[in-house]
């Protein structure tokens, strides 16, 4: 018995357009014997109609058909961009004919009479070529997808809605305002809009309006001329010029002062601006995407943000939910970052233990996805076991209050409250670690752990419950 070859050549759908019935028949039989699906027709007109159906990989096309010239069919297939490999069959093979057919996009040609082997070999190569073309198209599409959305992880309905909005707005030149707390992925979304727009091959420039002083920001945005201010020793183009054909991302837009807001409004309405110190206007075609974590409408009502600019920026609003409102995405994001940082550090970590993942999901993540990403990066550095476990996680999660975020107490009572909070924060964390360590040392046996630390079992259990530590017994391997 013949064993099938492991990598047997791909089989195709073949159309034979040949007015000589016996030859058409013979070709079909040989091709089918070799596992291809083959059909034939005897006229050019019929061949053309079948070709338009578009479900063939290869067409064997006679040049001299009774009712028309095969070249016409070849030309039409090229005009319509049909994805099919055409092989010319002719008894009148001349160099000119062959050259003309190849120029018109034929894949190959067979000179009549041909042997069975010649036919099979030629068709096989054509089928393989067609597969390669298709594979390439698929990979290219995948690449576009990758640059687009697949780096934005999420399947929560709110994020899926954001994907739909990105798809809708990207091809337009519409101004977009992205709303969302710190670290929710506003810049990521802005980049995805750019990547899906006609401007994708042009520049994407991001500028953080909260980190620059008003004068510096203006000169960054609009550029300046030599001598505009001390230190301006030469002309400098602004990013409205540099990103003129691309996209300009203005992060933390609420931080613009009223004067710069006025200038920005002018650019958005007239496409004109003046570099600092210049008396003449320049024009720009840059698309503006901005982002904010503040409620601009409230700021407008309070008078610190121009209402007209707010409406001009907010033509197409996109709202990014905080991570705590899409907890179902946390495991997905955590694994995404785990893979990313393992690849970066050439480390192998197989995943998170069940309770570690649960702790990640239940963490409040005030710094949203950025905070989760940073936490996973630290965990990858610190973990030396095959899995990230709860103990390592609690050790490295930012459970401690950040000193910088606390306002300086103004009264003795505020100072006392601060001390109390600090103690609670540290104490609670240490208490949990104490329980986990005791359990770990005793192989998860609660009674032994309680005894080892000098506690009664019920008290130890109650404390475990208060800290949300699941009973380790259910994870003990079966014997
Ligand atoms: N859905 C997501 N999938 C994968 N990575 C994400 C996602 N959302 C955010 N990130 C990552 O989290 C980090 C913060 O995202 P980004 O800078 O876009 O947030 P932001 O909203 O602009 O923050 P800020 O308000 O502080 O400027 C980035 O490293 C980004 O790649
Ligand atoms: Mg940002």
């Amino acid at each position: 018995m013949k064993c099938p070859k492991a990598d047997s050549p791909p089989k195709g759908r073949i159309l034979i357009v040949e007015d000589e019935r016996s030859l058409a028949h013979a070709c079909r039989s040989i091709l089918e014997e070799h596992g291809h699906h083959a059909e034939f027709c005897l006229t050019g007109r019929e061949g053309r109609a079948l070709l338009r159906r578009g479900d063939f990989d290869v067409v064997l096309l006679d040049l001299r058909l009774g009712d028309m010239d095969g070249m016409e069919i070849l030309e039409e297939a090229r005009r319509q961009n049909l994805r099919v490999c055409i092989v010319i069959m002719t008894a009148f093979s001349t160099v000119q004919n062959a050259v003309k057919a190849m120029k018109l996009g034929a894949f190959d040609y067979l000179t009549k009479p041909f042997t069975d082997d010649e036919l099979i070999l030629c068709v096989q190569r054509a089928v393989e070529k067609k597969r390669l073309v298709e594979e390439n198209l698929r990979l290219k599409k995948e690449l576009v997808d990758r640059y687009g959305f697949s780096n934005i992880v999420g399947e929560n309905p709110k994020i899926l809605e954001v994907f739909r909005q990105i798809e809708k707005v990207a091809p337009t030149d519409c101004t977009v305002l992205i709303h969302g707390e710190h670290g929710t992925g506003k810049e990521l979304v802005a980049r995805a809009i750019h990547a899906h727009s006609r401007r994708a091959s042009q520049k994407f420039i991001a500028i953080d309006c909260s980190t620059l002083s008003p004068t510096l920001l203006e000169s960054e945005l609009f550029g300046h001329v030599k001598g505009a201010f001390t230190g301006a020793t030469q002309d400098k183009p602004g990013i409205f010029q540099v990103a003129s054909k691309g996209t300009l991302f203005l992060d933390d837009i609420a931080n613009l002062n009223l004067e710069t807001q006025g200038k920005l409004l002018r650019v958005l309405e007239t496409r004109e601006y003046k570099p600092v110190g210049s008396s003449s206007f320049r024009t720009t075609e840059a698309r503006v995407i901005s982002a904010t974590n503040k409620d601009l409408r409230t700021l407008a009502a309070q008078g610190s943000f121009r209402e007209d600019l707010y409406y001009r920026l907010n033509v197409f609003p996109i709202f990014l939910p905080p991570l705590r409102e899409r907890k179902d995405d946390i495991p997905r994001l955590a694994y995404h970052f785990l893979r990313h940082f393992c690849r970066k550090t050439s480390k192998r970590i197989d995943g998170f233990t069940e309770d570690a993942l649960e702790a990640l999901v239940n963490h409040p993540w005030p710094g949203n996805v950025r905070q989760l990403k940073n936490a996973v990066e630290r965990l990858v550095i610190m973990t030396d076991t095959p899995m990230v476990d709860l103990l390592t996680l609690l050790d490295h999660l930012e459970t401690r209050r950040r000193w910088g975020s606390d306002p300086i107490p103004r009264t003795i009572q505020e100072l006392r409250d601060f001390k109390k909070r600090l103690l609670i924060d540290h104490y609670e964390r240490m208490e949990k670690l104490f329980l986990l360590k005791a359990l770990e040392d005793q192989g998860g046996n609660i009674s032994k752990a309680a005894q080892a630390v000098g506690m009664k079992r019920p008290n130890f259990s109650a404390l475990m419950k208060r800290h949300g530590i699941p009973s380790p017994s259910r994870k003990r391997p079966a014997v």
Side-chain angles (χ1 to χ4, degrees):
M1 202 174 79
K2 244 166 98 184
C3 281
K5 271 198 274 172
D7 54 350
S8 64
K11 304 301 171 202
R13 293 178 60 86
I14 324 289
L15 174 67
I16 305 148
V17 189
E18 166 63 66
D19 60 352
E20 206 185 313
R21 183 179 284 272
S22 57
L23 180 60
H25 228 275
C27 287
R28 186 179 68 177
S29 309
I30 297 163
L31 291 171
E32 291 200 324
E33 262 172 43
H34 282 79
H36 298 285
H37 169 90
E39 286 177 36
F40 70 79
C41 62
L42 302 169
T43 64
R45 197 160 305 163
E46 226 185 319
R48 203 158 59 176
L50 282 168
L51 241 174
R52 284 195 197 125
R53 222 168 65 190
D55 52 3
F56 292 100
D57 299 310
V58 177
V59 177
L60 294 175
L61 179 64
D62 189 8
L63 269 194
R64 290 241 174 130
L65 291 158
D67 59 341
M68 62 195 290
D69 187 347
M71 287 287 186
E72 280 177 50
I73 300 183
L74 189 59
E75 262 171 327
E76 187 177 317
R78 193 188 57 168
R79 259 201 319 276
Q80 294 182 355
N81 228 346
L82 295 181
R83 279 199 225 127
V84 64
C85 255
I86 298 185
V87 174
I88 296 295
M89 299 188 292
T90 177
F92 307 93
S93 173
T94 61
V95 176
Q96 288 97 316
N97 251 350
V99 170
K100 189 175 171 202
M102 301 301 250
K103 268 193 183 159
L104 284 175
F107 169 69
D108 205 347
Y109 67 97
L110 279 167
T111 311
K112 292 180 192 173
F114 43 79
T115 63
D116 293 5
D117 283 350
E118 279 171 338
L119 173 69
I120 289 301
L121 214 68
C122 181
V123 167
Q124 202 54 62
R125 287 201 308 121
V127 170
E128 274 163 8
K129 161 90 179 177
K130 168 81 188 319
R131 292 286 139 88
L132 196 68
V133 169
E134 272 172 354
E135 174 76 350
N136 198 16
L137 280 170
R138 191 184 60 75
L139 288 173
K140 268 196 235 160
K141 185 174 174 303
E142 239 183 55
L143 205 62
V144 170
D145 287 347
R146 188 163 318 144
Y147 284 133
F149 296 153
S150 58
N151 59 341
I152 311 182
V153 176
E155 285 178 23
N156 176 280
K158 288 183 183 169
I159 284 293
L160 296 183
E161 174 58 22
V162 170
F163 290 167
R164 269 191 294 278
Q165 289 174 318
I166 296 174
E167 260 172 356
K168 277 238 158 61
V169 79
T172 71
D173 267 342
C174 188
T175 310
V176 180
L177 179 58
I178 308 169
H179 303 256
E181 289 181 10
H182 274 309
T184 45
K186 298 186 291 294
E187 182 160 343
L188 209 56
V189 167
R191 285 182 188 276
I193 295 175
H194 175 74
H196 276 72
S197 74
R198 280 169 287 165
R199 298 166 179 259
S201 60
Q202 304 289 331
K203 285 204 167 99
F204 173 95
I205 298 187
I207 184 154
D208 188 344
C209 304
S210 65
T211 51
L212 300 170
S213 71
T215 0
L216 242 152
L217 185 61
E218 246 186 63
S219 126
E220 278 294 310
L221 289 173
F222 309 118
H224 62 244
V225 293
K226 184 176 168 184
F229 47 82
T230 335
T233 50
Q234 54 188 23
D235 287 4
K236 181 180 172 257
I239 52 179
F240 266 111
Q241 183 181 334
V242 181
S244 184
K245 293 204 162 30
T247 305
L248 185 54
F249 175 58
L250 304 175
D251 205 354
D252 262 337
I253 191 86
N255 285 300
L256 286 187
N257 68 9
L258 285 167
E259 202 186 326
T260 318
Q261 287 177 28
K263 292 182 180 168
L264 179 60
L265 182 65
R266 187 186 166 98
V267 190
L268 292 172
E269 285 182 339
T270 64
R271 302 261 137 222
E272 283 185 342
Y273 66 96
K274 261 190 210 169
V276 179
S278 166
S279 52
S280 54
F281 283 102
R282 296 249 168 93
T283 56
T284 179
E285 288 169 43
R287 176 189 200 172
V288 173
I289 300 179
S290 45
T292 183
N293 56 4
K294 305 241 164 62
D295 181 1
L296 288 189
R297 204 198 292 255
T298 309
L299 295 186
Q302 290 165 353
S304 58
F305 202 85
R306 287 182 69 133
E307 198 174 1
D308 43 8
L309 178 62
Y310 165 66
Y311 286 116
R312 195 68 196 71
L313 292 172
N314 200 34
V315 178
F316 192 99
I318 293 183
F319 292 90
L320 278 178
L323 195 52
R324 62 184 172 280
E325 284 178 22
R326 50 181 189 114
K327 282 178 178 290
D328 52 332
D329 274 342
I330 292 177
R332 222 166 269 132
L333 281 160
Y335 269 91
H336 169 76
F337 294 134
L338 187 73
R339 265 194 306 275
H340 172 79
F341 289 114
C342 279
R343 222 177 294 134
K344 236 174 127 178
T345 54
S346 305
K347 251 186 154 168
R348 186 175 165 184
I349 299 173
D350 296 331
F352 299 90
T353 60
E354 221 174 88
D355 45 8
L357 199 63
E358 205 176 316
L360 282 177
V361 172
N362 291 324
H363 195 71
W365 303 113
N368 294 295
V369 187
R370 177 182 292 112
Q371 190 191 5
L372 174 63
K373 185 176 178 179
N374 293 343
V376 175
E377 181 173 17
R378 270 199 308 279
L379 286 169
V380 169
I381 296 169
M382 299 312 296
T383 302
D384 288 317
T385 45
M387 302 284 272
V388 179
D389 58 25
L390 187 60
L391 198 64
T392 321
L393 185 82
L394 291 175
D395 235 353
H396 297 284
L397 260 193
E398 251 182 292
T399 44
R400 280 153 292 178
R401 183 174 292 276
R402 266 186 285 138
W403 296 88
S405 63
D406 277 304
I408 299 169
R410 290 179 178 264
T411 62
I412 186 67
Q413 189 53 45
E414 279 182 13
L415 182 67
R416 284 192 190 120
D417 288 347
F418 175 70
K419 188 174 170 187
K420 203 163 128 194
R421 259 201 335 263
L422 211 59
L423 268 173
I424 290 173
D425 281 358
H426 276 270
Y427 186 79
E428 292 271 307
R429 184 174 156 272
M430 198 47 80
E431 194 172 59
K432 188 161 188 175
L433 289 173
F434 153 82
L435 294 170
L436 288 164
K437 187 83 182 87
L439 282 166
E440 193 183 61
D441 288 349
Q442 302 302 327
N445 185 315
I446 300 176
S447 305
K448 281 189 183 166
Q451 195 185 10
V453 298
M455 282 175 79
K456 290 210 163 68
R457 193 188 190 282
N459 295 344
F460 192 91
S461 277
L463 213 51
M464 277 173 66
K465 208 164 166 194
R466 195 164 74 72
H467 281 285
I469 301 172
S471 170
S473 56
R474 64 184 161 103
K475 283 206 294 292
R476 231 180 274 152
V479 277

